[in-house]
């Protein structure tokens, strides 16, 4: 990494109260943000951005065509997979929430002659309104997921329940980390469990304490007071 971007990253971490020695990827979630707002956080040195809708992802990557790694973090419909996997700036899909979707991504990636880094989304608190594998279903699906050649499964992602006190999210983040450890015990051919994408504006400090390697921040980066 270049000296300036290292320095920028240290400054961003400081403003977010994150220990500067902590290895963590910070993703700026750009949903509902304007060109100017996004430009501002990029000027601060952020290198990774995330979107939860395909249409917006395509629109915003056109606004910022180079120098940014784009992450897809929302529910992905199978008929839209082909647009996402063909994006040159795509860094990772965080929200693979079913075996059918994983298969579709691998199939379209093969057509595009790519291998796409992905995370498996887990509905760790078993909330009815949320997408994601339930822990026990995930275990059952892992052998088939391990066979998919054109995706590279790199870890797990979750969204904690929305609660008043971020401390209440701790057990869910801890559960996700335990799940990662359990999956690692088996010798998978392709599946890796290196990344834990968990933590948003209200709970990222708790998520980091519980082992997050990627945090996805919207409001706190872009807040009305000018953000970080
Ligand atoms: C919107 C969103 C975020 C960021 O949420 P904030 O509370 O604004 O930090 C993170 N992850 C996902 C999947 C999102 O949809």
């Amino acid at each position: 990494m270049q000296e300036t971007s290292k320095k920028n990253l240290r400054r961003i971490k400081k403003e977010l109260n994150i220990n500067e020695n902590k290895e963590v990827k910070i993703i700026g979630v750009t949903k509902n943000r304007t060109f100017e707002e996004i430009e501002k956080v990029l000027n601060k040195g952020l290198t990774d951005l995330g979107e939860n809708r395909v249409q917006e992802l395509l629109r915003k990557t056109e606004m910022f065509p180079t120098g940014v790694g784009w992450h897809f973090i929302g529910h992905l419909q199978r008929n839209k997979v082909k647009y996402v996997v063909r994006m040159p700036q795509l860094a990772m899909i965080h929200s693979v929430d079913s075996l059918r979707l994983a298969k579709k991504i691998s199939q379209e990636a093969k057509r595009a002659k790519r291998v796409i880094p992905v995370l498996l989304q887990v509905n760790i608190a078993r909330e009815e309104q949320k997408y994601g594998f339930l822990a026990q279903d995930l275990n059952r699906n892992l052998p088939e997921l391990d066979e998919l050649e054109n995706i590279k499964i790199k870890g797990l992602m979750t969204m904690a329940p929305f609660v008043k006190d971020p401390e209440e999210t701790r057990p869910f983040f801890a559960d996700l980390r335990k799940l990662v450890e359990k999956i690692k015990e088996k010798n998978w051919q392709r599946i890796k469990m290196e990344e834990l994408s968990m933590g948003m504006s209200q709970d990222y400090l708790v998520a980091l304490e519980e082992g997050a390697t990627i945090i996805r921040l919207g409001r706190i980066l872009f807040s009305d007071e000018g953000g970080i």
Side-chain angles (χ1 to χ4, degrees), residues 29 31 52 73 157 159 200-202 216-219:
V29 178
K31 63 172 178 243
N52 65 343
I73 61 174
M157 178 273 223
M159 287 169 87
M200 315 190 348
S201 292
Q202 74 144 10
R216 308 177 309 268
L217 304 179
R219 285 169 299 154

Side-chain angles (χ1 to χ4, degrees), residues 6-34:
K6 263 193 199 159
K7 215 160 119 194
N8 285 337
L9 189 60
R10 272 206 299 273
R11 198 174 55 214
I12 294 174
K13 283 180 183 169
K14 196 166 169 217
E15 291 179 38
L16 292 168
N17 286 319
I18 299 170
N19 181 335
E20 66 175 58
N21 297 317
K22 188 117 186 155
E23 288 264 357
V24 57
K25 188 179 276 298
I26 300 167
I27 295 177
V29 178
T30 56
K31 63 172 178 243
N32 307 322
R33 302 299 168 185
T34 62

Side-chain angles (χ1 to χ4, degrees), residues 134-152:
L134 297 176
Q136 73 268 27
D137 295 345
L138 183 58
N139 283 329
R140 183 157 41 80
N141 285 309
L142 286 172
E144 258 191 280
L145 288 164
D146 197 38
E147 297 290 318
L148 300 174
E149 291 180 2
N150 290 71
I151 58 174
K152 192 185 237 170

Side-chain angles (χ1 to χ4, degrees), residues 23-160:
E23 288 264 357
V24 57
K25 188 179 276 298
I26 300 167
I27 295 177
V29 178
T30 56
K31 63 172 178 243
N32 307 322
R33 302 299 168 185
T34 62
F35 177 87
E36 288 74 22
E37 287 175 298
I38 299 169
E39 199 174 39
K40 210 164 125 197
V41 299
L42 287 176
N43 286 339
K44 292 206 170 214
L46 220 67
T47 56
D48 289 79
L49 298 175
E51 263 295 333
N52 65 343
R53 289 170 58 197
V54 173
Q55 207 70 26
E56 276 300 297
L57 181 72
L58 297 175
R59 200 171 73 86
K60 290 196 176 111
T61 48
E62 271 175 32
M63 290 178 180
F64 301 97
T66 56
V68 179
W70 283 92
H71 298 251
F72 189 73
I73 61 174
H75 177 61
L76 182 54
Q77 288 169 304
R78 280 177 301 133
N79 61 357
K80 294 191 176 153
V81 166
K82 54 180 176 286
Y83 307 114
V84 177
V85 304
R86 278 176 169 73
M87 281 179 37
Q89 308 94 326
L90 180 70
M92 193 183 268
I93 299 173
H94 291 228
S95 42
V96 176
D97 52 20
S98 70
L99 179 61
R100 282 173 86 200
L101 177 61
K103 284 181 174 170
K104 180 71 178 172
I105 296 171
S106 188
Q107 184 191 357
E108 291 292 347
K110 190 170 187 177
R111 283 204 186 118
K113 299 193 167 56
R114 293 185 76 178
V115 177
I116 305 289
V118 305
L119 304 175
L120 303 174
Q121 182 172 354
V122 180
N123 182 356
I124 201 74
R126 303 160 147 274
E127 291 171 282
E128 214 156 274
Q129 73 279 19
K130 283 218 174 99
Y131 289 104
F133 289 94
L134 297 176
Q136 73 268 27
D137 295 345
L138 183 58
N139 283 329
R140 183 157 41 80
N141 285 309
L142 286 172
E144 258 191 280
L145 288 164
D146 197 38
E147 297 290 318
L148 300 174
E149 291 180 2
N150 290 71
I151 58 174
K152 192 185 237 170
I153 298 174
K154 302 195 74 163
L156 302 182
M157 178 273 223
T158 203
M159 287 169 87

